[in-house]
Amino acid sequence: MSTPHRAAVLGSPIAHSLSPALHNAGYAALGLDGWQYGRHEVDESTLAAFVTRLDPAEWAGLSLTMPLKRAIRPLLDTVSDTARAVDAVNTVVLDRDGRRHGDNTDVPGLVNALRERGVERVESAAVLGAGATASSALAALAQVCDGEVTAYVRSAGRAAEMRALGERLGVPVRTADWADGARALDGPLTVSTTPVGATDGFAAQLTAAPGVLFDVLYHPWPTALAAACLERGGTVLGGLDLLVHQAVLQFERFTGVERGPLAAMRAAGEAALAG
């Protein structure tokens, strides 16, 4: 009997994750028999024990969500430049010799999602929020934005962190007060990285013709801000766009296939959300 191939998403809480639906649909689409992808409730206190007992002959990789994207770093043998720049690992590839390689597919996933919708270059951009996802967003904007990025934040400490990250990434970052966040949509591209409900107050303040909004939430969908942008004729991308594009990159790294089945994985995500 052939050795099974396993992968999984780790985090806490994890029951809501759509990743198993996406990856397992990808295996089915390509006829990868013997591959299986699960989910495991793991936090910082149990991460090391879980990772160190994995059989490298069986396990191909891990997807990581909160709160593990930084906690995994001491357990890795290598870390990609992208993951190091944003201090966030969402992907671990396991070699057959047991070595663990950390990467970040959120950054290229965000770029690919924008390109799919025709957003190749913009003169300026904005980020709502300043957490871990905002760091990935800023790294992605470094690849598509020719000018300044404005980060709308709630505290002086977060503002300083975003400016420092911009310096490391080579992106000019200006910070602005969170209360003025509705102004972000006046520009060509805004990435909202905040929790559910955080931007609802901006929805009624939008101009008649907002720019492109990439709201990284996917449930509930649409958010109040996304709905307001759509009503005013704006272009909107959602969290499922990011989830699918980063997942297909993980799929390729885990399986070794050249091109993952994006359409099948997206359909699985849409079906899971509809259900």
Side-chain angles (χ1 to χ4, degrees), residues 84-125:
R84 186 177 296 106
V86 298
D87 194 21
V89 172
N90 80 324
T91 305
V92 177
V93 178
L94 282 75
D95 283 348
R96 292 293 182 174
D97 63 3
R99 289 172 59 82
R100 310 181 195 105
H101 307 281
D103 200 358
N104 184 301
T105 62
D106 285 332
V107 174
L110 199 153
V111 172
N112 290 345
L114 286 169
R115 288 175 176 165
E116 183 184 41
R117 298 294 294 276
V119 182
E120 297 279 350
R121 306 295 307 179
V122 292
E123 295 181 357
S124 62

Side-chain angles (χ1 to χ4, degrees), residues 223-267:
T223 63
L225 185 60
C229 285
L230 288 169
E231 290 172 1
R232 290 162 176 78
T235 298
V236 174
L237 293 85
L240 185 60
D241 294 291
L242 174 57
L243 182 65
V244 170
H245 275 277
Q246 68 82 25
V248 79
L249 293 171
Q250 291 181 333
F251 184 97
E252 292 165 357
R253 285 158 173 74
F254 296 163
T255 63
V257 303
E258 184 174 345
R259 179 168 294 182
L262 179 66
M265 294 172 74
R266 186 196 307 276

Side-chain angles (χ1 to χ4, degrees), residues 27-115:
Y27 301 151
L30 296 187
L32 296 179
D33 297 331
W35 282 83
Q36 56 181 292
Y37 186 105
R39 63 166 68 89
H40 296 273
E41 183 81 16
V42 177
D43 60 19
E44 296 102 323
S45 66
T46 57
L47 177 62
F50 184 95
V51 171
T52 55
R53 70 170 179 261
L54 298 179
D55 181 354
E58 181 179 347
W59 282 82
L62 300 170
S63 307
L64 301 173
T65 186
M66 297 301 292
L68 306 177
K69 293 185 179 183
R70 292 178 178 170
I72 190 67
R73 286 282 301 271
L75 302 173
L76 301 175
D77 295 289
T78 66
V79 178
S80 71
D81 291 341
T82 300
R84 186 177 296 106
V86 298
D87 194 21
V89 172
N90 80 324
T91 305
V92 177
V93 178
L94 282 75
D95 283 348
R96 292 293 182 174
D97 63 3
R99 289 172 59 82
R100 310 181 195 105
H101 307 281
D103 200 358
N104 184 301
T105 62
D106 285 332
V107 174
L110 199 153
V111 172
N112 290 345
L114 286 169
R115 288 175 176 165

Side-chain angles (χ1 to χ4, degrees), residues 85 127 129-131 134-135 138-139 142 147-178:
V127 176
S135 297
L138 189 57
E148 186 177 69
V149 175
T150 303
Y152 291 83
V153 299
R154 296 182 184 275
S155 70
R158 290 292 196 182
E161 290 174 2
M162 290 295 281
R163 289 193 297 267
L165 178 59
E167 290 183 8
R168 294 199 302 273
L169 295 170
V171 181
V173 173
R174 179 178 72 87
T175 53
D177 190 86
W178 176 257

